[in-house]
Amino acid sequence: MAGRLAGDVYAGIDARLSEVDARVEARYPGEPAGRQPVHTVYVPAHRYTPGLVARWGEQARAVFDANGRALGLDPAVAERVRRKLVSEPIEDLRIDFEDGYGRPGDDVEDEAALAAGRLLAENPVTPFCGIRFKSFERATRRRGIRTLDAFLSGLLEHGDLPPGFVVTLPKVTAVEQVGAAAEVLGHLERAYGLPPGGLRFEVQIETAQSIVDSEGRVAVARIVQAAEGRCSGLHYGTYDYSAGLGIAAEYQSTEHPAADFAKAFMQVSAAGTGVRLSDGSTNRLPVGDALLPAWREHLRLVRRSLERGFYQGWDLHPHQLPTRFAATYGFFRAGLPAAAARLRDYASQVDSGVLDEPATARALSGFLLRGLDCGAVDAGEVEELTGLDRARLEAYATFWG
């Protein structure tokens, strides 16, 4: 063996770091496999009715057909948007029993939650779906748990959880609330005969305490750990977070410096953990005379989020769907030629036994897979440009050298 260190030095260092190795591997498993939706559509529970997804698609398509030309989109992008609004206008649907629903009384909410669960079971028409219940703060904790229980009772009467099902925990003001939510989901799994870990949740980052706690510690990283492996996403809440910081309503936005500060903490805390990120919403709705200005702003904000590594956001109105998909498709199609060429070069190096930067290959393949998943690009054109089929793209996305 070259060098002068004895074998027991190597063994000693391995032993010293063995617990650290196990901890790092457990906490940082890397990017999860599978598709991430490009948006979450929040619909108040009392407005969740049969045919809602189709109606949103029809309304979005009609307004886009009538006014979309004014956006000056690339014709190929515009055509993809039209097809998307027909085939899959909503990727992720969240039935909202929190701010969008209010407090109509226990009996009313019990019945609404049971009915919403049954309706979702009968109409699983989106790739991802779920429910947002009230927070685990003292005033709403019991009501939130009761709503989730009733909803699952209706949802699971005659079947299993729909694919892509997730629940949303809002307004976290203490890390312990996240651990309590994880415990409740475990109880619900046992009560309904679900597999352990089958219920997962997203945490809304919409309070100052979910970024930095009262002792000055970074709370968002501890939130991920407290979820005990059940946290699938961190979602930024634009308006609750901004208002909590005292920002005037006129200036509350996903691009405010305070928003970027919070989202930077989210990004660093979630990196490598398998927890995905979502930006928040804009409340400037594209309706009436505000249609085109609001569309242009939405296009810009969605593009801005994508450039900063936030591949998902919230949409609150059917008229936001055209610009959500237009911005997303434009982003991935613009980046396709360069990303494909760079990955093709890396692939040829791997085939010859050399790969300089595995991290670059992961980022490039991840970019292309996201474009494929949302419909921005097609498998045939990606394979033609890279020489790689989807299976090989997925292999590069998880390659660590």
Side-chain angles (χ1 to χ4, degrees), residues 46-214:
H46 58 282
R47 296 180 184 171
Y48 176 55
T49 55
L52 178 138
V53 174
R55 290 196 304 275
W56 272 55
E58 290 166 3
Q59 185 174 339
R61 190 168 66 253
V63 74
F64 186 63
D65 286 343
N67 303 280
R69 186 172 297 179
L71 294 174
L73 301 177
D74 179 277
V77 169
E79 181 54 32
R80 285 177 184 271
V81 171
R82 291 189 184 93
R83 294 203 302 264
K84 181 74 168 182
L85 294 174
V86 172
S87 65
E88 195 178 73
I90 296 177
E91 291 194 358
D92 184 18
L93 176 66
R94 199 68 73 251
I95 304 166
D96 187 14
F97 282 90
E98 203 231 356
D99 283 348
Y101 182 68
R103 301 187 185 184
D106 284 339
D107 290 343
V108 172
E109 187 161 340
D110 286 344
E111 184 56 38
L114 184 67
R118 288 170 174 163
L119 181 56
L120 181 61
E122 296 165 1
N123 296 270
V125 293
T126 57
F128 302 87
C129 61
I131 173 180
R132 178 169 71 168
F133 50 90
K134 292 176 174 63
S135 81
F136 267 44
E137 293 181 291
R138 185 198 302 271
T140 56
R141 180 165 54 238
R142 285 177 171 256
R143 179 63 265 177
I145 296 171
R146 182 167 161 175
T147 296
L148 180 56
D149 192 1
F151 181 88
L152 289 174
S153 180
L155 181 66
L156 299 170
E157 276 183 352
H158 305 294
D160 299 322
L161 289 174
F165 181 80
V166 66
V167 301
T168 304
L169 176 65
K171 293 183 176 60
V172 171
T173 52
V175 173
E176 291 82 358
Q177 293 167 358
V178 178
E183 179 183 340
V184 167
L185 294 188
H187 288 307
L188 288 168
E189 286 167 352
R190 290 186 287 276
Y192 287 97
L194 297 171
L199 290 173
R200 307 194 73 199
F201 60 93
E202 298 160 340
V203 177
Q204 287 192 253
I205 304 300
E206 52 183 345
T207 67
Q209 297 95 325
S210 57
I211 296 296
V212 178
D213 70 14
S214 60

Side-chain angles (χ1 to χ4, degrees), residues 342-364:
R342 291 180 65 186
L343 187 58
R344 182 189 63 230
D345 291 343
Y346 277 112
S348 65
Q349 292 172 6
V350 170
D351 291 341
S352 63
V354 178
L355 179 62
D356 291 330
E357 297 180 38
T360 302
R362 290 197 303 273
L364 292 168

